[in-house]
Each structure stands twice: as C-alpha cells, then as structure tokens.
Amino acid sequence: MIVAAIRARRAAPSLAGLLILALGATAYFLSRADEEHAQTLLVLVTAIAAIAEPRLLLGAVLALILVTGAGNRASAFLHGPDLAPLHLPGAGGVRVTSSDAQNLPQLAARVQRLTDRAIYVAPRRSDLVTFSDPLLHFLVDRPNVLHRDVLLQAKPEEQAKIVAALQRTRPLVIRWTDPASSKSEPNRRGRPSGSRALDDYLQRAYRVDSRFGAYVVLVPR
C-alpha cells in the first residue's frame, strides 16, 4: 500500500499525512488486534486507496470491504443475537440484547431516584479491564465523577486516583459485571495488573443496593 502510494505520479499533499496516520493506526491495531481497533485503520486504508494509484489497489480494498461486509451480514442473519428496542430517552431506536432492553430502563430509574449527582461506573474486576461501559453515564443521565470516561483502569496508579476521587465525593457506583469487562486478550491489556485496590475499596466502603442483570448499583455504607 505504501509503496504504491509513493510511486503515484500525483500524490496529493494530504497523502503523506494519511500515511503517517496509517502507520500509527497499524501500531495501535497490533497492540489490540480486534474489530474495534481495526476500524481506524480500515478507514485510513480506504482513504489512501482513493487518493493513490493504481486503480487495482482501490479495487482490491473495496472488494475486501464488500466481502467482509457480506460475511458479517450473513453471520448476523444466521447467528444474530436476540435484539429488542431500548426504551430510554436519547436511545434513538437503538436495539440491544433482550436482557439489556429490560434491565437498562430499570437501572436508569433506580439511579435517577437515588441521586442527582455524578456517578462512577466500575469494571467487573479492577486488575483486568478489557472494556469499560462509559455509555451508561448517558443512558442513566448522570455525569462521570472522574474527568475522563476512558482510561487504563487496571494500572495501580489509575486505581489510586479513582479511589481518591471516590473517597472525596462518595458517589453512587454502577458495577458492570458482564464477562466482556474482563475478557482475556493476547496482549498486555489482557494480563492482570496485580492490583485490586479499587475492588478492595468498593468492598469495604460500599454495599449493594440493587441488581439489574449485569448492572449492580452500589451505595456508600
């Protein structure tokens, strides 16, 4: 891809910037090789193919996208999850799993009844955090007590900052216990950090108020 772009007779000035971004996106994808982290790289490859010659490169990329898309659609049709509309303000007709369609409105109602302040969404386990669920702040209409929605929560220094923020503000906590939260990956992100400081603090300073499927509402003791 890069060789073809360099040999192009009329490479646009923006092509150099796209190539640099593509290299960064490649490194990012190699650090976490999954479908979510491949999206940026796929978009950049498509843009580069549209700018650079030869046309064969563009055709190959488009064919790959079409084949992948057709395969995904076929897989979704044959083995798709049981989805239902989510009835929450701002959901915009999105469809989620049937369990989330039932549990999320109940969760939002309970959280809004308990507090009008910022909250914190905790992972399943603090030493291994593959995915977090920051979208919950939007769905329950309560901001994040932290300054950032996405961070490397398993790192000991990040856990220390989170615990300090929770001690200072004593917010309501939603714990997302879906196994996807701590799913193992073949990279450094998929290895436990060895620190359970956040887990220990939540166990010591909070109690369970209610459960809605994979979502557990915790309140200060």
Side-chain angles (χ1 to χ4, degrees):
M1 176 185 68
I2 295 178
V3 173
I6 293 176
R7 292 178 177 176
R9 294 181 179 178
R10 296 181 179 180
S14 59
L15 182 58
L18 288 173
L19 290 173
I20 293 173
L21 285 174
L23 289 175
T26 300
Y28 185 52
F29 173 69
L30 292 176
S31 69
R32 296 191 72 189
D34 56 37
E35 63 275 8
E36 292 188 24
H37 294 78
Q39 293 177 17
T40 302
L41 182 59
L42 288 174
V43 171
L44 288 170
V45 168
T46 304
I48 292 171
I51 295 174
E53 293 290 346
R55 296 179 180 177
L56 179 61
L57 177 61
L58 176 58
V61 172
L62 291 178
L64 179 61
I65 293 174
L66 288 173
V67 170
T68 303
N72 288 338
R73 291 301 87 204
S75 176
F77 177 76
L78 297 174
H79 306 287
D82 181 20
L83 300 180
L86 177 60
H87 298 293
L88 274 175
V94 68
R95 298 177 69 85
V96 296
T97 63
S98 56
S99 59
D100 273 355
Q102 177 181 357
N103 291 316
L104 285 173
Q106 298 179 50
L107 172 69
R110 183 58 180 166
V111 170
Q112 292 166 6
R113 191 178 307 120
L114 288 173
T115 184
D116 58 359
R117 300 165 51 214
I119 66 170
Y120 172 63
V121 177
R124 182 188 187 193
R125 49 184 286 189
S126 61
D127 66 329
L128 180 58
V129 187
T130 308
F131 296 106
S132 56
D133 198 351
L135 185 60
L136 281 177
H137 293 288
F138 171 76
L139 294 177
V140 304
D141 194 25
R142 294 295 181 266
N144 191 348
V145 72
L146 305 179
H147 295 299
R148 292 179 294 164
D149 287 331
V150 180
L151 66 163
L152 298 176
Q153 298 182 65
K155 298 175 65 175
E157 56 269 31
E158 292 290 354
Q159 290 189 52
K161 293 178 182 178
I162 295 171
V163 170
L166 298 182
Q167 289 176 327
R168 184 171 59 253
T169 59
R170 303 284 287 171
L172 178 146
V173 173
I174 301 174
R175 189 153 213 170
W176 183 46
T177 63
D178 191 291
S181 174
S182 55
K183 182 181 179 181
S184 180
E185 291 184 349
N187 51 49
R188 294 181 61 186
R189 189 74 175 266
R191 295 195 292 268
S193 67
S195 174
R196 302 294 291 264
L198 176 58
D199 290 339
D200 294 340
Y201 174 74
L202 291 177
Q203 183 176 7
R204 182 174 67 252
Y206 280 77
R207 63 175 179 82
V208 174
D209 171 84
S210 48
R211 298 176 185 268
F212 305 96
Y215 309 98
V216 182
V217 177
L218 304 177
V219 295
R221 293 185 183 275

